[in-house]
Amino acid sequence: LAKTTQPISMDSYEGQEVNITCSHNNIATNDYITWYQQFPSQGPRFIIQGYKTKVTNEVASLFIPADRKSSTLSLPRVSLSDTAVYYCLVGDRRGGSQGNLIFGKGTKLSVKP
Amino acid sequence: NAGVTQTPKFQVLKTGQSMTLQCAQDMNHEYMSWYRQDPGMGLRLIHYSVGAGITDQGEVPNGYNVSRSTTEDFPLRLLSAAPSQTSVYFCASSYPDRNSPLHFGNGTRLTVT
């Protein structure tokens, strides 16, 4: 099972760009990289997913280098409402199974005014 | 569209009591799963199901039972509650393809005294 390593916590200020890096040295060929966001008293919410290079949506960007041993979630111009825990997951969901998707402890992002 | 609905939101049990945590989804997702979240531990997979009639164990299955008689419902049963099962429980669902994100409910906070 591919495990991930991310910083426990990060601090930022409103308007700054935040980059959270996730290390996944033993990522397998068929594994995708997925990021979730969790607010207090809520379930995690899907943010972005990618396999290689760069993926961008209305919320964030995901940068994946050629060796795929790490990935970086980029949040542009954060606001106070971006304060949350961010989880990086690596796994292969062929056949729909998610038994091999492991949620780590996540990165607690605190955005200050 | 209700998404993933979990009931109850809060529950207090005494050691040895039994109860069922309910999870229902209205998105016709084949895949459903249960996680528990403890402080500083991230989310840990308890059981999951890739379709009606099919269940499998996750990372921490002991003390919990599940069944999947319909596509919509995936109840989690505690046969004899223990204080170690005090936690927040999240149900999630998704389509059975590798790019489909997990949709989470808002959790059930369980306290066992």
Side-chain angles (χ1 to χ4, degrees), chain A residues 12-18 75-80 82 111-112:
Chain A
S12 182
Y13 290 93
E14 282 190 294
Q16 289 187 329
E17 178 184 71
V18 171
L75 304 172
R77 297 180 296 282
V78 294
S79 64
L80 297 176
D82 292 315
V111 180
K112 303 174 183 178

Side-chain angles (χ1 to χ4, degrees), chain B residues 2-7 22-26 32 72-74 91:
Chain B
V4 178
T5 303
Q6 291 185 238
T7 56
Q22 301 292 344
C23 175
Q25 51 90 11
D26 61 358
M32 297 185 74
E72 294 78 20
D73 302 296
F74 191 44
C91 178

Side-chain angles (χ1 to χ4, degrees), chain A residues 32 36 38 87 93 96 98, chain B residues 31 37 94 97 99-100 102:
Chain A
Y32 277 71
Y36 286 83
Q38 185 179 26
Y87 295 95
R93 296 196 49 226
Q98 295 197 4
Chain B
Y31 179 86
Q37 185 170 38
S94 74
D97 65 85
N99 296 324
S100 179
L102 289 168

Side-chain angles (χ1 to χ4, degrees), chain B residues 40-99:
Chain B
M41 297 294 292
L43 285 90
R44 292 183 291 171
L45 183 65
I46 304 172
H47 285 286
Y48 64 97
S49 169
V50 298
I54 306 169
T55 64
D56 206 346
Q57 296 181 349
E59 185 183 358
V60 288
N62 293 338
Y64 307 95
N65 283 345
V66 292
S67 60
R68 184 90 180 273
S69 56
T70 67
T71 299
E72 294 78 20
D73 302 296
F74 191 44
L76 179 72
R77 283 184 287 276
L78 285 71
L79 297 179
S80 180
S84 61
Q85 293 178 306
T86 293
S87 187
V88 181
Y89 292 85
F90 289 100
C91 178
S93 72
S94 74
Y95 292 112
D97 65 85
R98 67 196 331 171
N99 296 324

Side-chain angles (χ1 to χ4, degrees), chain A:
Chain A
L1 299 180
K3 286 194 172 181
T4 60
T5 302
Q6 3 174 179
I8 296 296
S9 64
M10 295 182 68
D11 291 332
S12 182
Y13 290 93
E14 282 190 294
Q16 289 187 329
E17 178 184 71
V18 171
N19 295 310
I20 306 175
T21 296
C22 179
S23 175
H24 27 81
N25 291 321
N26 59 341
I27 188 170
T29 302
N30 293 317
D31 286 347
Y32 277 71
I33 301 158
T34 312
W35 286 79
Y36 286 83
Q37 174 192 56
Q38 185 179 26
F39 297 114
S41 302
Q42 294 185 23
R45 181 176 72 107
F46 171 84
I47 301 176
I48 197 166
Q49 178 177 269
Y51 183 81
K52 62 180 179 180
T53 63
K54 176 184 175 182
V55 179
T56 298
N57 62 23
E58 65 279 4
V59 176
S61 294
L62 178 60
F63 298 93
I64 305 169
D67 66 5
R68 303 200 328 121
K69 292 184 182 300
S70 67
S71 59
T72 299
L73 174 72
S74 181
L75 304 172
R77 297 180 296 282
V78 294
S79 64
L80 297 176
S81 62
D82 292 315
T83 293
V85 178
Y86 293 82
Y87 295 95
C88 166
L89 278 73
V90 171
D92 174 15
R93 296 196 49 226
R94 283 178 296 175
S97 173
Q98 295 197 4
N100 62 352
L101 284 185
I102 305 295
F103 277 85
K105 297 180 181 180
T107 297
K108 185 174 183 179
L109 173 65
S110 298
V111 180
K112 303 174 183 178

